[in-house]
Amino acid sequence: MLLNEALPTSRPQHNQMWEAVLSALRMAIIKGQLPSGTHLLELTLAERLGVSRGPVREALIRLEQEGLVINQPYRGKFVADISAQTIREIYSLRVLLESFAAELCIDKLQPALLQRLRDSLAQMVKAADDQRYEAFADIDLEFHHSLVVAAEHTRLLQMWETLRGVNHAFIAVNASLVSSENVHMFAERHQLIVDALTQRDVVTVKAVLRLHLAEAEQRILAVMAGQATNPE
C-alpha cells in the first residue's frame, strides 16, 4: 500500500489535524495510491502519516460520507471503486440535474437568491486564496445546492444530494490543484452562471454548467492518470 501524500511539516492544531489527514488520504485514493478494495486500518494509516488514530478515524468517517470509502460490517473500511467511468457518470448526471433545475427555476428566481449566489463568489475566491480547500468545496457545493433548491422539485433535490459527498471530494481536490494565477477561474465560471440567471437566459446557464463541470471532470481524470496540470 502506497501513501505518498505527506502531511505539512508544520503541524496544524489538533482540531485541524484531521483535515490534513483527510486531504492526504483523499488524494491518495483518487490518485490510485490507495487502490480500490484497500483495507484501511486506522493504526497502519496513523503510523504512516505520523499522527494519532483520532484524526485518521475522523478522516475515514468523512471519506465514507463522500463515497470514497465503504464500511463493511465486521470487516472494516475499504477504498471504494472510483473508476474513470464512475467519475464520468457522476459529472454527466450533475449536468443533467442542474440543467433541469435551471429550466425549472429560471422564471421564478428571487433577488435574494441571486445576491446570495454573488456573495458565494467572493467567499470562494477568499477560501481558495487562503488554501482552505475544504471550505472552498463547502461554498462551491452550497452555490449549486441553492440553484437546485430554487427548482422546488423534491425528487430532483434528493437525487442531487446523493452525489453531494463524492462531489465535495472532487471539488476539494480540484481546488488544491489550481495555481494561484488561475484560482479565479472557478469564480469566473460561477459569475457567468449568475449573470445568465440574472438575464433569465437558461440556454447560457446550461452551456456554462456543461463547460464548468466538464473542466472539473477532466482535471479529476487527469489526477487519476497521473497527469494533473493547472488549467490554462
Side-chain angles (χ1 to χ4, degrees), residues 102-117:
E103 290 181 8
L104 293 177
C105 75
I106 196 71
D107 292 325
K108 54 186 177 184
L109 289 172
Q110 299 298 316
L113 171 61
L114 293 172
Q115 185 57 52
R116 188 159 66 249
L117 295 178

Side-chain angles (χ1 to χ4, degrees), residues 19 71 116 128 140 205 211-212:
E19 289 191 0
N71 182 33
R116 188 159 66 249
D140 189 318
V205 173
L211 176 61
H212 172 53

Side-chain angles (χ1 to χ4, degrees), residues 23 127-128 131-138 168 171-173 175-178:
S23 178
Q131 298 184 346
R132 294 182 294 114
Y133 304 126
E134 298 298 319
F136 181 95
D138 289 338
H168 186 282
I171 293 168
V173 169
S176 70
L177 295 175
V178 175

